[in-house]
Amino acid sequence: MELDRVQGTTGEGVTVVWSRRAKPGSQATLENVIERLARAMSSAHGYEGVVTLRPQPGHPPIFTMVAHFGSQAALDSWVSSEIRGRLYAEAEAVSVGGLNVQQAAGLEGWFQMPGQPLVVPPPRYKTAIITWIAILPLLVSANLIGTALLPGVSPLIRLIPVSIVLIALMTWVVMPQMTKWFRFWLYPSKAD
C-alpha cells in the first residue's frame, strides 16, 4: 500500500482518506466490508471519527472513508492491526485498482471536499487565510461570552473552557462549512 503523506508536527491529529472502486457486480459486497471496517475502526486506540462516502447513482462505484486519528502512532497501530488486515484482504478481493490513500496532518485535515476520492490540501497560504477568516469572529465572540459568563475569573483560567469550545466549533462546525463556502478558491479545478 502506498501512502501520500503530508507530515505535521508531533502530536497533531491525522486525517487519512482511503478509497476503493468496486468490481462490477461487487458493490454491495464492498459496501458491507467497508461498513465492518468502520465499526472495527471505531474501537481502535486514538480513533476520533470516520465518514464513509458512498457512490451516487450513475457515478463510478467508488467508496471513500475519511478517518481521523489522534496521532500518527494511533493510525499506524490501526493500519497494522490483525482485524484491519483481514478486512483489507476482503475488500481487495472485491475491488479493482487497489487502495488509494491520502493523508494529512493538523489543520490540513479540515480541508476535505466531500465526494472526492482523494484529498489534496490547498496551498498553505489559502489554509491560513481561511482559518483566520473563520477564527477571528469566533475569538471575539468567545472572549465576550466568556467574560460575561465567568466574571471575576482569571483570564488564564477562563481561557481553558473557551479554548475547548472554540476548537470544537472550528473542527466540527466552522471549518467544514468554510471549506464548502470557499470551495471555488480552495479547489479551483474541482469547483465547476
Side-chain angles (χ1 to χ4, degrees), residues 167-189:
I167 289 169
L169 284 172
M170 286 291 289
T171 301
W172 289 289
V173 178
V174 177
M175 291 312 291
Q177 190 61 47
M178 295 295 282
T179 303
K180 289 177 189 173
W181 288 343
F182 289 93
R183 177 182 179 176
F184 69 94
W185 187 57
L186 294 168
Y187 303 93
S189 63

Side-chain angles (χ1 to χ4, degrees), residues 21-32 60-61 63 93-96:
R21 183 182 186 122
K23 283 183 180 177
S26 297
Q27 187 168 329
T29 305
L30 181 57
E31 183 169 16
N32 177 271
F63 291 84
V94 292
S95 61
V96 293

Side-chain angles (χ1 to χ4, degrees), residues 59-189:
H59 289 85
I62 297 172
F63 291 84
T64 303
M65 295 178 81
V66 181
H68 304 280
F69 285 84
S71 68
Q72 184 64 49
L75 172 62
D76 292 344
S77 176
W78 162 251
V79 168
S80 63
S81 70
E82 184 268 330
I83 182 90
R84 190 257 180 203
R86 199 170 4 132
L87 291 168
Y88 174 90
E90 284 185 46
E92 193 71 15
V94 292
S95 61
V96 293
L99 178 66
N100 295 309
V101 180
Q102 181 73 34
Q103 182 174 323
L107 291 177
E108 291 159 347
W110 280 342
F111 293 92
Q112 305 161 13
M113 291 311 303
Q116 301 298 320
L118 296 176
V119 172
V120 178
R124 287 187 184 266
Y125 79 91
K126 289 184 179 183
T127 303
I129 291 170
I130 297 300
T131 302
W132 179 80
I133 290 170
I135 207 165
L136 181 63
L138 283 177
L139 282 172
V140 171
S141 300
N143 188 39
L144 293 173
I145 292 169
T147 302
L149 291 177
L150 303 168
V153 174
S154 160
L156 191 55
I157 300 299
R158 190 172 51 232
L159 184 61
I160 294 169
V162 167
S163 66
I164 291 169
V165 170
L166 192 68
I167 289 169
L169 284 172
M170 286 291 289
T171 301
W172 289 289
V173 178
V174 177
M175 291 312 291
Q177 190 61 47
M178 295 295 282
T179 303
K180 289 177 189 173
W181 288 343
F182 289 93
R183 177 182 179 176
F184 69 94
W185 187 57
L186 294 168
Y187 303 93
S189 63

Side-chain angles (χ1 to χ4, degrees), residues 17-20 31 34 50-56 61-66 112-117 119:
V17 180
W18 293 290
S19 63
R20 288 188 172 275
E31 183 169 16
I34 287 171
V50 66
V51 174
T52 302
L53 305 171
R54 290 163 178 78
Q56 297 298 313
I62 297 172
F63 291 84
T64 303
M65 295 178 81
V66 181
Q112 305 161 13
M113 291 311 303
Q116 301 298 320
V119 172

